[in-house]
Amino acid sequence: MQRRFQQLDVFASGPFSGNPLAVVVDSEGLSTEEMQQFTRWMNLSETAFLLPPTAPEADYLVRIFTLASELPFAGHPTLGSCRAWLRAGGVPKADDRIVQECGAGLISINEEGDRLAFAAPPMIRTGPVGDDLMGQLVRVLGVDRSEIVDAEWIDNGPGWVGVLLKSADAVLALEPSFDGVDHLDVGVIGPYPMGSECDFELRALFRDGRGGLQEDPVTGSLNASAAQWLLGSGRATAPYLASQGTRLGRRGRVNITQDSDGEIWVGGQAVVRIAGTVEI
């Protein structure tokens, strides 16, 4: 069956500078196994499948798959799926927002000029890490304990542990290794000097489905929970601009804002690079 298909460049600051996402627009009738198989074939970090919503207030439902499994929520698939849905002719039910239904519930999305922004979902695990995990983080990152400013759980679904280093340069200099360490999703953050284009550099490190080290080019879920951590601890003020993907030759840019109600919004570009059909 021919299904509408798009491939997008999410959190991009120029052509092919963000995180690619595949979106199957017409996903009705596909089984979980077929979605997972197609995701593995695409060989991107995530692939999204759009379906009619089940919640009356939602505009669409999205299922998000990595190469290994389905995720309840992820950031760059949220913005990319929303842009794909709009590009395919979707019309929001509300005038002031778009509502995505996913495994994590309902996610509000705003249009900010040519950018989209999602409301940061609540974290499901917070607080400082224990001594054993701190030891693992030191080994994974290849740093001395004194180089870590702070480390906390900042998990909003994927399992992120946040590690704050002294500078963006320290983040970019890391040569991580997961040898001898079980499954761990690490988000490393470091500030740029005042007056720089960006305020923070982030790197997202995790094990892939085969046990190897992977680095995600630009990660919305990590930027969302990192913003909640940084703003909540007084280490940042909104708005700010985050950079990610530098070590991978990308130039991802993530805009963090906070509204008058205290809601944190994670925004960026989501540009359709390929549009057509795929037979599944």
Side-chain angles (χ1 to χ4, degrees), residues 120 189 222-232 236 240 256 264-266:
I189 309 154
L222 173 60
N223 274 277
S225 58
Q228 290 164 312
W229 183 31
L230 295 170
L231 295 172
Y240 73 76
I256 301 295
I264 295 171
W265 295 84
V266 181

Side-chain angles (χ1 to χ4, degrees), residues 206-227:
F206 57 93
R207 279 191 179 277
D208 64 17
R210 297 173 294 276
L213 171 68
Q214 290 290 320
E215 180 167 354
D216 197 42
V218 203
T219 316
S221 62
L222 173 60
N223 274 277
S225 58

Side-chain angles (χ1 to χ4, degrees), residues 71-74 104 121-125 154-160 185 221 225:
L71 293 177
F73 168 81
M123 287 192 277
I124 61 177
R125 185 175 185 181
I154 53 170
D155 182 14
N156 54 10
W160 296 115
D185 296 320
S221 62
S225 58

